[in-house]
Amino acid sequence: MSRTTQAPKGLRATGNFIDDRFHVAKSGEKNLRKVFPNHWSFMLGEIALYSFIILLLTGVFLTLWFKPSMTEVVYDGSYERLQGVVMSEAYASTLHIDFDVRGGFLVRQIHHWAALIFVASLVAHMLRVFFTGAFRKPREINWLIGIAIFVLAILEGLFGYSLPDDLPSGMGIRILQGVMLSLPVIGTYVSMFLFGGEFPGEDIIPRLYMLHILLIPGILLALIVAHFMILWHQKHTQYPGRGRTEKKVVGVPMFPAFAVKAGGFFFFVFAVTVAFSAFVQINPIHLFGPFSPTSITSGLQPDWYMGFMEGALRIFPNWFDFTIFGYAVPTGVLVPALVIPGILFTGLAVWPFLEAWITGDKRHHNVADRPRNAPVRTGVGMAGITFYGLLWMAGSNDILSETFSLNLYGTTWFFRFAIFIGPVLAFVITKRICLGLQRRDRATLAHGYESGTIQQLPSGEYIEVHKESPDEMVHVLRSKEPLDRTDTEDVDENGVEAPSARGLRGRLRTALAHWYTKDNVSFEGVEPHSGHHGQHEEIAPEQAETATR
Amino acid sequence: MTDNTTDHNKGEGAEGPDRVIGTPSSAEGDRLVASSADPHSEHEGPFPAEETHARPEEMQRKGEKVAAAWFTLAFLGGIIFFVGYFAFSSTEIAEPRIAQYSNVTLGGGLALALFGIGAGMTVWARRVMPHYDVSTPYDELPSSPEEKGSFGDFFMKGAAESGFTKRPLMRRTLLLAMAPLGLAPIVLLRDTGPLPGDTLKHTLWKKGMRMVVEGTEREGEATWIRAEDLGNAPGGMISALPYVQPTEEHPHGLSLNEQAKTVILLIKVGEDEWKPGMTEQQLNWTHDGIVAYSKICTHVGCPAALYEQGTHRILCPCHQSTFDAADGAKVVFGPAHRPLPQLPITVDDEGYLVADGDFSSPVGPTFWDVEKED
Ligand code: HEM
Ligand code: FES
């Protein structure tokens, strides 16, 4: 600390100018010193942020030429193949962006690729948070904000996809309208009001345009800002390791290291998006032709994030459609299009609260769980992924059927069964794997890791030499906490049930807590490299370290 | 392990970073050149020097060169972008092939420019900048009981002072005053569209309307469909619309709304191939083995455009609802529930196929009162 470096005069002057007005030297330093834990999976959220920025930049560029109008025109623009064809102004203006604006084609492609990457990175980021338990107290609110961002991102993408008014994009709106009509009582009103009359009308694209470029991006921006302010305040979770405790976060400081790394990463994400846009054509609307409510091409695929809903619509049968007093309730539309996504998103939203209720865990958590150490959660997560993945695959059953020459209806039936069996299998298998890994962890902690070296003892016996695990590994292994379990406290010393365990709710909760924790492998009393199970004792990390020396 | 709060950070208390002392990780570059006895003496960074594993000068110098190479490449990428921009004029790109070249040069150049900057910055961070971990405490989250108590006390006193709780007349009239304002935005949305009424239940089709092939130029009598045309139709199916005089506004004669409701499939089934499920009335609505169904799927409204002549099956490509054309377009597979509505057809005196009224039931996706008669 001997040398004090003076900032150059210009910088100092600017700094003083700002500080005179805002008094920010102290908080500024604190923020520049903010610590970012290191792990590749923390970059998933960054990808989402960067692709959102790319979407804003490219979206603004597109608005310079795009005309959100459904007025019919006869095309006489520069793309020869469609000259003389009747189309909406929206479609014609998109052709203009493609074939008259230099770089327009590219920017449209970047916008679309970035949208795909945006939603994909949101999903990946969300899964990371789920499987590591980073949604636990105190971060539940940020989890909910994340879900809201995810839902809005999907809507934003769907509406954007509908703007150019090409054949597939109009089909997306058509399906949207069909789903709206299925709503009991209000369906026809909702549809007539949103479309300004019957499908397709002349209003839907201007209205979606407003939602797409103003309302939803505005809300998204506000939510993203809130997400980051909360994150900044609560700080990141961190993976277990040396020195990383519930009280202290270890990592790279914002300035200078993280700023340069993250800046570089932004350019990488942008570069990859642009490279895709340059070399892999996406949504070539000039080949699809303008929307017409009377024609369609087979093998139509929505953007990937709508695939699960498409799949649900395909495999959900019409068996449960019913009428009530002569009014129709088409469950064959309602359930797959609204109820299933509703359950999926509601399930995601309530999970943190459900889990805390089951286990009775009211603690703050800053150190991430290793997925294996929460086998039921990890199993549920994998079951969810399997459910979603199967729906998503069912959304291209026609393509699967054609590619692998399968019977089309056969694929539908396959998915109708798989959607029930798959998630259960995924749960059971995942849980087994987690428990197996836990057992191996305990052995490694107690005996060191298997070195792969075989030794012959004087007695003639062969053994595999176990080496002492490195310090870091011991820290990671010891991060496993005993799972909280509410029902163990539910009986007092006289054997009387505590009030919390009584009644239907209490019993349900006890049963769930049992299910959540019953198979968990206990690490209690396992001393590093002790080779045997010692007596139960809380060991401070310091002592643990001495134990390894 | 030891924790030290550094003097560097005096006055910031718990907010300031602590350092973590640990053996350097094995990542390359963390270890310092063996020759220098006190490796940290020269490095004075913003964080405690003992913590910092400065990159050896050798490595930094190399890192600088590599980063500079990337930045130079990025500059070249930027140049390629500009060359691409001016090489293909905005009139040339009307040709899709040229548009593709333009796209690749602009995009390739831009991608290179961005990638170069990203790669250069990464090399800078990894090879030139020192590597270290620091730590800060997580903020204690719940406030202390005193703070909470003080806040609660302050707030409740303030609330009492305002009189909001003590003066119910004022409070209730204020809430009352808010209610209409809350409803106003919802009422204002009323004019976004007309009430449904029975619009969804009727279409433009009227007795005696002639038909044209969908998607063709709709001018002149030559395009009106005759019963014989079905014999020559590829696949035994024609997708058709009612004929309406073209107008300035709708060069096709029909607006998209009207097309969306009136489009039909004309299918030649053959007099002896009808299934017993067809009612007498439904058979009366056919002409000479030709039947007309709405092309709009009753599931969520895609055009059910695929027809298999051998089995008389109509397949909707969206979610694969399948309808049997020889059996009143009943659903034989898939998520749709209602049969495709049938359009009664006949021929007029001049031998053209014409409608004999409107559809047998409402067209398109099922809605709440779809089965209610008006
Ligand atoms: C935040 C997330 C956003 C997503 C997920 C998204 C997604 C999309 C998608 C998928 C399309 C269709 C692109 C295509 O034709 O291939 C689109 C079109 C469009 N977007 Fe966005 N967008 C977003 C934000 C924005 C913003 C902030 C603006 C403007 C300020 C914008 C302006 C436009 C315009 C004008 C079009 C129509 C032009 C065209 O399709 O070429 N978008 N958007
Ligand atoms: S719209 Fe025809 S099957 Fe869904």
Side-chain angles (χ1 to χ4, degrees), chain B residues 294-369:
Chain B
S294 161
K295 191 185 182 182
I296 302 300
C297 185
T298 54
H299 181 222
V300 286
C302 292
L306 306 179
Y307 178 64
E308 197 179 48
Q309 203 168 8
T311 58
H312 301 311
R313 282 182 166 191
I314 303 166
L315 177 77
C316 174
C318 276
H319 316 103
Q320 295 133 19
S321 288
T322 312
F323 307 87
D324 188 346
D327 194 14
K330 292 205 182 71
V331 180
V332 289
F333 191 85
H337 184 78
R338 295 186 306 127
L340 296 173
Q342 187 178 348
L343 184 77
I345 51 168
T346 181
V347 284
D348 63 12
D349 341 328
E350 292 174 55
Y352 292 111
L353 274 181
V354 291
D356 201 18
D358 202 352
F359 285 104
S360 58
S361 58
V363 164
T366 297
F367 50 92
W368 181 241
D369 53 348

Side-chain angles (χ1 to χ4, degrees), chain A residues 326-341:
Chain A
Y327 292 104
V329 183
T331 51
V333 181
L334 280 171
V335 174
L338 299 170
V339 178
I340 292 180

Side-chain angles (χ1 to χ4, degrees), chain A residues 455-463:
Chain A
Q455 247 180 19
Q456 192 177 21
L457 299 179
S459 61
E461 195 187 345
Y462 285 96
I463 58 153

Side-chain angles (χ1 to χ4, degrees), chain A residues 2 33 102 106 174 193 196 198 200-201 207 236 247-249 251 257 268 294 314 318 321 325 328 397 409, chain B residues 3 8 17 44 85 88 103 122 134-136 138 192-193 214 257 261 295 318 320 322 333 336-337 368 372:
Chain A
S2 49
R33 282 176 181 279
R102 276 174 287 178
L106 180 67
R174 173 83 243 202
F193 288 168
E198 290 188 270
R207 288 179 184 175
H236 287 62
K247 300 255 175 252
K248 259 194 329 180
V249 55
F268 273 138
T294 57
R314 286 181 187 200
N318 60 8
D321 290 11
F325 305 122
N397 70 333
Y409 302 141
Chain B
D3 279 345
H8 180 87
E44 283 196 12
Y85 193 86
F88 304 104
N103 192 55
T122 307
V134 291
S135 82
T136 38
Y138 284 107
T192 48
E214 177 244 319
N257 286 18
K261 283 171 79 179
K295 191 185 182 182
C318 276
Q320 295 133 19
T322 312
F333 191 85
H337 184 78
W368 181 241
K372 289 274 175 189

